[in-house]
């Protein structure tokens, strides 16, 4: 997490995450909602998905706020899924599953990992679409000009080892003045949390 001016990403993200957790516990009383940190004691990237895997979690969400040193014209919300076609991600997944180094992974292990990722990514895209739509909707209740940067594919290491649909959400830009001003308000952080929770609930209840 970085900082921009007096805004610290890790503090704001935790504030939003706790609000999401509270809402999900209200909407899904039988669900277990686990945060990878409750203070400044951030887990390493590997440890976050390992924790989700060991809990047998249904979903993994990595929550962030974006920032750029360059002046930006388009801020807004971006949601990322791991690129399923990326051979490197399949390799890393296979290596992690087998407890071996990447260069020891065989062709068949790599193929299995690629198929596994493809299946995961189909679900992750569905999750990402709902999460993105509702986060944007929530944020726009307070900041109507909040921009839509779309759902994208990217190679984020934090998502590689997840055995469940995994998505990375950049909920706003710290370096966009109007978004930074909104993030300072409880009203906006609440609205984003509402949207994030709504997206998760919609995804989990889609088959019911």
């Amino acid at each position: 997490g970085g900082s921009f001016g007096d805004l610290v990403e890790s503090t704001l993200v935790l504030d939003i995450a706790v609000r999401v957790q509270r809402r999900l516990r209200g909407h899904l009383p039988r669900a277990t909602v686990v945060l990878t940190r409750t203070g400044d004691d951030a887990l390493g990237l590997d440890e976050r998905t390992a924790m989700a895997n060991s809990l047998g979690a249904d979903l993994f969400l990595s929550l962030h706020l974006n920032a750029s040193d360059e002046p930006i014209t388009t801020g807004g919300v971006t949601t990322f899924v791991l690129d399923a076609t990326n051979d490197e991600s399949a390799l890393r997944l296979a290596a992690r599953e087998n407890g071996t180094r990447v260069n020891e992974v065989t062709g068949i292990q790599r193929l299995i990992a690629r198929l596994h990722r493809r299946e995961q990514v189909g679900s992750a895209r569905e999750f990402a679409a709902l999460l993105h739509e509702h986060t944007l909707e929530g944020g726009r209740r307070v900041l109507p000009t909040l921009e839509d940067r779309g759902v994208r594919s990217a190679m984020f290491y934090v998502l590689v080892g997840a055995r469940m649909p995994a998505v990375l959400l950049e909920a706003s830009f710290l370096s966009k003045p109007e978004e930074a001003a909104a993030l300072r308000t409880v009203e906006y952080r609440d609205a984003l949390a509402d949207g994030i929770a709504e997206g998760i609930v919609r995804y989990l209840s889609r088959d019911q």
Side-chain angles (χ1 to χ4, degrees):
S3 60
F4 205 87
D6 62 337
L7 294 177
V8 180
E9 183 195 12
S10 57
T11 307
L12 290 169
V13 163
L14 182 59
D15 178 89
I16 295 166
V18 168
R19 292 169 195 277
V20 171
Q21 184 183 46
R22 208 174 294 144
R23 277 162 182 72
L24 288 176
R25 284 176 172 166
H27 289 308
L28 306 166
R30 289 180 304 182
T32 305
V33 186
V34 179
L35 303 182
T36 57
R37 66 185 177 95
T38 51
D40 282 332
D41 48 337
L43 289 175
L45 297 184
D46 277 357
E47 294 170 299
R48 298 176 205 186
T49 43
M51 181 180 178
N53 289 341
S54 68
L55 291 166
D58 296 299
L59 289 177
F60 179 82
L61 170 61
S62 189
L63 180 59
H64 298 262
L65 293 167
N66 214 331
S68 170
D69 292 331
E70 305 296 313
I72 51 160
T73 51
T74 308
V77 178
T78 330
T79 308
F80 292 96
V81 291
L82 194 70
D83 187 351
T85 60
N86 190 310
D87 213 40
E88 181 68 17
S89 71
L91 261 176
R92 286 184 183 179
L93 179 67
R96 181 175 302 188
E97 297 283 342
N98 296 308
T100 57
R101 286 192 292 277
V102 164
N103 62 3
E104 293 169 10
V105 176
T106 66
I108 190 74
Q109 289 167 336
R110 191 181 311 185
L111 179 66
I112 289 166
R114 199 182 300 136
L115 291 171
H116 177 70
R117 275 254 52 101
R118 198 160 289 155
E119 189 185 319
Q120 292 288 48
V121 170
S123 303
R125 283 190 191 289
E126 207 179 331
F127 174 33
L130 287 166
L131 184 71
H132 187 79
E133 175 194 344
H134 291 286
T135 302
L136 204 54
E137 207 173 87
R140 281 176 174 169
R141 287 205 296 272
V142 175
L143 188 65
T145 57
L146 186 65
E147 287 158 314
D148 180 354
R149 292 169 68 89
V151 175
R152 305 180 185 187
S153 297
M155 183 61 204
F156 280 107
Y157 188 64
V158 69
L159 302 179
V160 170
R163 292 183 196 146
M164 68 293 298
V167 163
L168 186 143
L169 173 67
E170 291 184 339
S172 289
F173 265 80
L174 293 170
S175 53
K176 192 90 194 287
E178 56 271 41
E179 290 177 39
L183 284 163
R184 286 187 170 86
T185 70
V186 168
E187 189 189 9
Y188 185 62
R189 297 196 303 272
D190 252 346
L192 287 175
D194 266 341
I196 292 166
E198 181 69 19
I200 291 169
V201 170
R202 292 289 180 101
Y203 175 77
L204 291 173
S205 58
R206 73 202 186 289
D207 294 331
Q208 292 168 14

